């Protein structure tokens, strides 16, 4: 008997360790951000997910809603450690987590009148949410400022160094110099190029080659260091992070993705990746950085650390108080960023614009054309990037992320250096393209010929005939446009932090500036056309090319992300151009319509589908006329549904079921004959509960009877002690009938964040529908590979 007991203890200890430990060998990086593949042992009818122990609502067999007062905590004499937690790469149960939070809140309210200490604890609990968002705002703003300053300094380090102060970038180095000229305001004695430092000369073929070599050397060094840090210390720090953040907010568990180590490595490598000159941005990864801050600070407060749903009140469930707290966190972050002043212009916006002329009605035509271009670019980029990422995952090339990053960085640096519009920082390029030509602008794009004396001058009137300098800049911009389009496709998805906002805006800004200059010259030479005659007088400033760049940037960003309202707000935040709302709205809506004609999903949704994450997009419509019985498991060709009976099993039989199956949960029925549903029990909770009972209760044997009922019947005196598992049983799992339309089932899963739903017919259990089954069914209906859904 003693040996039998030791065997069972050893078995369940090993079983418990096997389901709670995550194997690092099975976690590979994917094309856009995180996991490329995860080898599981599940088969097609894997039951994924927790049920809802103690949930207050359940779908009845008739499709209505019934209430249940049963709660997990009411049935537990002593809470079992580990029960109610989640495995890695599994989905949380929103209903159960919400019930746990309500129970916690009731206990706090019932005790706060007992003493001053309990009242203080209730105040602390009430204000913990505001404390979390305050700390998150402070940390996010500070990190954003540090990243901006460090990235600008390291980016300029590729071209030279400031002798007066090594920690100054190029612009800061020349701020206090009195020896700069208008035409060459970026040159000052304090700033030396690498050719000046190494060769002692600033001009000539030798200096050009030396600067070329140092530019490439620093770019490769930064890229190599970034990918090595990510590969060795924090694989989750790569990519933009937005696809994974969206999936996590929907209830998915990716342990370590929002941890302290990921935050530190992502902050460092983001600076290195941006400084390397790769065609990427830092705005997307900053979302990941801010989410890491929020997750870390949430563990300081039990209200959030012990409830996964409370951390995620922004996706399926978005209360009004979360909106206010988000607004407050943004306010704190903006205050901190303004105090740091990383842009050096006492403004919070990255690309501040100040145009001197309004836009005219006839300009809606080129604005809409820019929207068409943005939609076409977005559709092309999504398909090309996803195809490349899929190829990376399916070939040996994806096994060498360091080599891939070095190769892309080398090509980028070698091709970018000869062209001034690709050599400079992408943010500086966008700023130059957005800027209106005026007397204080020395850009080559603003080299117009004065009408007064026929000589080159910097007039405050930009509607002048162009000089060869402008035409040369146009050719350089066209080459830069092709370069940015090609390199962005291959850069997004590398194993370094890589955002998409800035590269997409750069592509749109280049195209918009080219169109703007073309329309400007057309208006100058053909001012008597009916389009220009009413608004454009001879010699008057009529067209603003910088506005076209801003509209083009918004259009291309909208084509890639398929955002509309939020995108227009983001452009306002970046530029401060609130008065140009109509051109921006027209371009963004056109971009979305054109892009949707080739596919409704944006780049982040496409990468979610590529990685197989269990994410139900609320914007995606389900228009098929299938029923629940057509989607549920088991199918006709599948083995029978694995179930547990409420009082007929022994520990040995339960052990056999667990060892011979890989399901995450089991429906509990009255008997095999009746098939009447009692509840739902999780595999993880069963294993933890049995292991806990063997440690703390004497007499639990292999032939001990397992009861999911509230009261165990009287047993013979020589019978081993029974094992009661009623406390881990979900007494009110969500159920639908087999004739329920899948359109309703999908809507239930989306709005309630369910993991699984049981299917019944006249009260008898027929099968189960999991979130994974729905995603596979939707993929199959869209003629896609249903096996691409890899996670629970």
């Amino acid at each position: 008997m003693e040996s039998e007991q030791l065997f069972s203890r050893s078995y369940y200890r090993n079983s418990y360790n096997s389901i709670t430990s995550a194997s690092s060998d099975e976690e590979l990086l994917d094309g856009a951000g995180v996991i490329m593949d995860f080898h599981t042992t599940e088969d097609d009818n894997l039951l994924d997910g927790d049920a809802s122990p103690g949930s207050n609502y359940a779908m009845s067999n008739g499709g209505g809603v019934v209430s249940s007062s049963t709660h997990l905590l009411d049935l537990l004499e002593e809470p079992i450690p580990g029960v109610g937690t989640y495995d890695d790469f599994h989905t949380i149960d929103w209903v159960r987590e919400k019930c746990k939070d309500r129970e916690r809140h009731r206990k706090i309210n019932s005790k706060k009148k007992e003493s001053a200490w309990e009242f203080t604890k209730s105040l602390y609990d009430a204000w913990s949410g505001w404390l979390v968002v305050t700390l998150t705002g402070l940390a996010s703003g500070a990190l954003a400022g540090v990243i901006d300053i460090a990235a600008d300094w390291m980016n300029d380090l590729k071209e030279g160094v400031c002798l007066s102060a090594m920690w100054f970038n190029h612009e800061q180095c020349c701020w206090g110099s009195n020896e700069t000229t208008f035409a060459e305001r970026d040159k000052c004695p304090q700033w030396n190029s690498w050719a000046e430092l190494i060769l002692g000369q600033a001009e000539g073929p030798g200096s050009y080659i030396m600067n070329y070599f140092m530019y490439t050397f620093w770019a490769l060094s930064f890229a190599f260091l970034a990918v090595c840090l990510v590969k060795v210390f924090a694989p989750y720090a790569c990519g933009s992070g937005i696809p994974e953040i969206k999936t996590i907010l929907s209830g998915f568990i990716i342990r370590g993705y929002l941890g302290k180590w990921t935050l530190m490595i992502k902050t460092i490598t983001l600076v290195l990746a941006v400084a390397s000159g790769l065609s990427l941005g830092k705005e997307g990864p900053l979302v990941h950085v801010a989410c890491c801050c929020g997750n870390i600070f949430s563990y300081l407060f039990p209200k959030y650390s012990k409830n996964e749903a409370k951390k995620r009140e922004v996706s399926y469930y978005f209360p009004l108080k979360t909106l206010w707290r988000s607004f407050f966190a943004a306010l704190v972050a903006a205050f901190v960023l303004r105090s740091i002043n990383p842009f050096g212009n006492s403004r919070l916006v990255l690309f501040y614009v100040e145009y001197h002329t309004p836009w005219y009605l006839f300009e809606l035509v080129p604005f809409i054309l820019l929207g068409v271009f943005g939609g076409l670019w977005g559709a092309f980029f999504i398909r090309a990037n996803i195809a490349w990422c899929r190829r990376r995952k399916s070939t040996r090339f994806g096994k060498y992320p360091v080599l891939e990053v070095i190769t892309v960085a080398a090509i980028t640096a070698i091709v970018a250096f000869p062209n001034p519009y690709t050599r400079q920082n992408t943010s500086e390029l966008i700023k130059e393209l957005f800027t209106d030509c005026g007397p204080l602008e020395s850009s080559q794009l603003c080299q117009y010929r004065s009408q007064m004396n026929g000589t080159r001058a910097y007039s405050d009137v930009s509607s002048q005939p162009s000089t060869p300098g402008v035409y040369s800049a146009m050719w350089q911009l066209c080459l830069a446009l092709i370069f940015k389009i090609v390199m962005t496709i291959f850069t997004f998805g590398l194993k370094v932090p890589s955002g998409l906002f800035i590269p997409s805006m750069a592509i749109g800004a280049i195209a918009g500036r080219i169109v703007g200059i073309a329309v400007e010259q057309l208006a100058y030479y053909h001012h008597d056309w009916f389009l220009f005659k009413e608004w454009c007088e001879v010699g008057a400033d009529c067209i603003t090319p910088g506005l076209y760049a801003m509209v083009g940037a918004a259009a291309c960003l909208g084509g890639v992300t398929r955002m509309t309202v939020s995108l227009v707000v983001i452009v306002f935040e970046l530029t401060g151009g609130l008065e140009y709302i109509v051109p921006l709205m027209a371009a963004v809506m056109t971009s979305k319509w054109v892009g949707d004609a080739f596919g409704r999903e944006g780049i982040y949704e496409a990468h979610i589908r590529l990685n197989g994450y269990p994410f139900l997009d609320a914007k995606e419509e389900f228009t098929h006329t299938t029923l629940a019985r057509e989607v549920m498991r088991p199918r006709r060709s599948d083995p029978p549904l694995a179930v547990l009976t409420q009082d007929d099993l022994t520990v040995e039989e339960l052990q056999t079921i667990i060892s011979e199956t890989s399901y995450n949960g089991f429906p509990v029925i009255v008997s095999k004959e009746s098939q009447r549903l009692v509840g739902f029990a999780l595999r993880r909770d069963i294993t933890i509960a049995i292991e806990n009972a063997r440690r703390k209760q004497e007499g639990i044997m292999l032939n001990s009877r397992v009861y999911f009922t509230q009261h165990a019947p009287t047993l013979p005196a020589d019978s081993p002690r029974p094992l009661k598992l009623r406390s881990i049983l979900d007494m009110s799992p969500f159920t639908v009938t087999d004739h329920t339309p899948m359109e309703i089932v999908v809507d239930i899963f989306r709005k309630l964040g369910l993991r699984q739903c049981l299917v019944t017919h006249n009260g008898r259990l027929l099968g189960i529908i999991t979130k994974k089954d729905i995603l596979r069914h939707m993929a199959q209906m869209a003629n896609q590979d249903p096996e691409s859904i890899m996670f629970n």
Side-chain angles (χ1 to χ4, degrees), residues 450-766:
S450 173
Q451 287 182 317
M452 297 179 60
N453 51 21
T455 60
R456 174 179 159 184
Y458 300 101
S459 171
D460 58 346
V461 180
S462 61
S463 292
Q464 303 284 348
S466 301
T467 64
V470 176
Y471 293 123
S472 175
M474 292 279 283
W475 279 110
Q476 290 174 335
L477 283 179
C478 291
L479 294 176
L481 179 62
I482 298 174
F483 169 79
K484 288 289 185 182
I485 288 175
V486 174
M487 295 313 302
T488 303
I489 291 173
F490 294 98
T491 302
F492 188 71
L494 293 178
K495 301 306 180 285
V496 293
S498 54
L500 195 58
F501 274 47
I502 293 299
S504 297
M505 291 185 67
I507 292 171
I510 294 173
R513 188 77 184 205
I514 294 174
V515 173
I517 293 177
V519 174
E520 177 194 48
Q521 293 302 303
L522 192 65
Y524 175 78
Y525 286 108
H526 303 280
H527 58 271
D528 55 342
W529 284 11
F530 74 96
L531 283 176
F532 311 120
K533 189 173 183 180
E534 184 176 352
W535 291 284
C536 298
E537 299 178 3
V538 178
D541 189 3
C542 179
I543 306 298
T544 305
L547 174 59
Y548 286 74
M550 184 174 72
V551 172
C556 283
L557 186 55
V560 170
T561 62
R562 304 298 163 83
M563 296 188 299
T564 52
V565 178
S566 57
L567 174 59
V568 174
V569 175
I570 289 173
V571 175
F572 290 161
E573 293 176 348
L574 293 176
T575 63
L578 183 61
E579 58 193 277
Y580 302 101
I581 183 172
V582 174
L584 288 172
M585 291 174 63
V588 169
M589 287 305 302
T590 303
S591 174
K592 177 173 173 55
W593 288 334
V594 172
D596 286 349
F598 297 91
R600 299 184 63 85
E601 61 182 7
I603 184 63
Y604 301 125
E605 290 77 16
H607 275 281
I608 288 174
R609 180 169 55 83
L610 176 68
N611 299 331
Y613 296 143
F615 180 77
L616 280 173
D617 192 356
K619 296 179 294 184
E620 188 175 356
E621 297 180 0
F622 187 89
T623 58
H624 308 288
T625 58
T626 53
L627 300 178
R629 64 184 180 186
E630 301 175 45
V631 181
M632 71 176 189
R633 303 285 179 169
R635 304 281 178 85
R636 291 184 178 180
S637 58
D638 294 338
L641 186 67
V643 297
L644 307 178
T645 53
Q646 64 176 359
D647 53 11
D648 292 341
L649 290 174
T650 63
V651 171
E652 184 178 14
E653 292 170 341
L654 183 57
Q655 168 183 304
T656 302
I657 293 175
I658 292 177
S659 62
E660 293 181 352
T661 62
S662 56
Y663 304 134
N664 287 338
F666 303 90
V668 179
I669 59 177
V670 174
S671 65
K672 292 292 184 65
E673 292 76 21
S674 70
Q675 292 288 319
R676 188 162 60 87
L677 181 65
V678 176
F680 192 86
L682 294 175
R683 176 196 187 96
R684 176 184 175 89
D685 288 353
I686 293 173
T687 306
I688 293 175
I690 296 178
E691 177 67 18
N692 183 77
R694 289 189 172 278
R695 290 198 309 264
K696 296 184 178 182
Q697 300 179 23
E698 295 295 333
I700 301 297
M701 310 280 181
L702 280 177
N703 59 342
S704 295
R705 186 73 64 179
V706 178
Y707 291 99
F708 289 97
T709 56
Q710 190 167 2
H711 302 288
T714 303
L715 299 175
D718 59 344
S719 299
R721 182 174 182 175
L723 178 61
K724 299 179 181 179
L725 297 182
R726 171 85 171 192
S727 61
I728 67 170
L729 183 65
D730 174 19
M731 300 295 295
S732 55
F734 276 79
T735 62
V736 296
T737 67
D738 55 338
H739 286 85
T740 304
M742 279 304 298
E743 184 177 4
I744 296 178
V745 176
V746 172
D747 206 31
I748 292 173
F749 270 77
R750 283 174 176 163
K751 294 182 177 179
L752 296 180
L754 298 184
R755 300 183 64 182
Q756 76 283 313
C757 181
L758 300 177
V759 182
T760 62
H761 178 75
N762 294 332
R764 293 170 56 88
L765 178 66
L766 291 184

Side-chain angles (χ1 to χ4, degrees), residues 377-424:
W377 148 251
F380 169 73
F381 171 79
I382 292 172
R383 293 193 177 186
N385 181 255
I386 292 298
W388 175 248
C389 290
R390 184 176 289 111
R391 181 174 179 81
R392 180 193 290 124
K393 294 178 64 175
S394 60
T395 60
R396 293 178 58 86
F397 188 67
K399 298 180 179 180
Y400 305 98
V402 177
L403 179 61
E404 182 185 13
V405 171
I406 292 299
T407 302
V408 174
I411 296 174
T412 302
I414 292 172
V415 178
F417 186 84
N419 190 335
Y421 295 110
T422 54
R423 183 196 314 170
Q424 66 184 134

Side-chain angles (χ1 to χ4, degrees), residues 113-261:
K113 296 181 180 179
E114 296 178 359
S115 64
W117 173 245
E118 293 294 339
F119 181 74
T120 304
K121 288 171 61 177
S122 67
L123 289 179
Y124 174 76
D125 180 82
W127 280 92
S128 59
W130 294 101
L131 292 175
V132 169
V133 298
T134 301
L135 293 173
T136 302
L138 290 171
S140 302
L143 288 176
V146 170
I147 289 172
D148 283 330
I149 294 173
D152 288 342
W153 176 73
M154 295 187 71
N155 184 75
D156 288 345
L157 189 64
K158 294 185 298 184
E159 298 185 356
V161 66
C162 185
L163 298 180
S164 59
M166 289 284 295
W167 56 90
F168 279 173
N169 61 24
H170 194 168
E171 183 181 6
Q172 294 169 340
C173 188
C174 296
W175 272 351
S177 177
N178 296 323
E179 303 179 41
T180 58
T181 63
F182 177 81
E184 297 181 339
R185 65 182 70 182
D186 59 338
K187 293 185 178 181
C188 60
Q190 292 82 1
W191 178 265
N192 281 16
S193 65
W194 290 110
E196 292 177 290
L197 289 174
I198 298 174
L199 302 178
Q201 60 182 21
E203 304 293 339
S207 62
Y208 182 85
I209 294 175
M210 177 55 65
N211 288 331
Y212 202 155
F213 172 78
M214 293 302 296
Y215 180 92
T216 306
F217 168 76
W218 283 112
L220 292 177
S221 300
F222 294 153
F224 177 74
L225 183 57
V227 69
C228 287
L229 288 174
V230 169
K231 179 179 175 62
V232 175
F233 296 104
Y236 287 157
C238 67
S240 72
I242 292 182
E244 289 73 27
I245 293 298
K246 293 184 68 171
T247 308
I248 290 174
L249 289 178
S250 71
F252 196 54
I253 300 290
I254 307 180
R255 302 201 184 279
Y257 194 83
L258 301 178
K260 296 185 288 293
W261 199 242

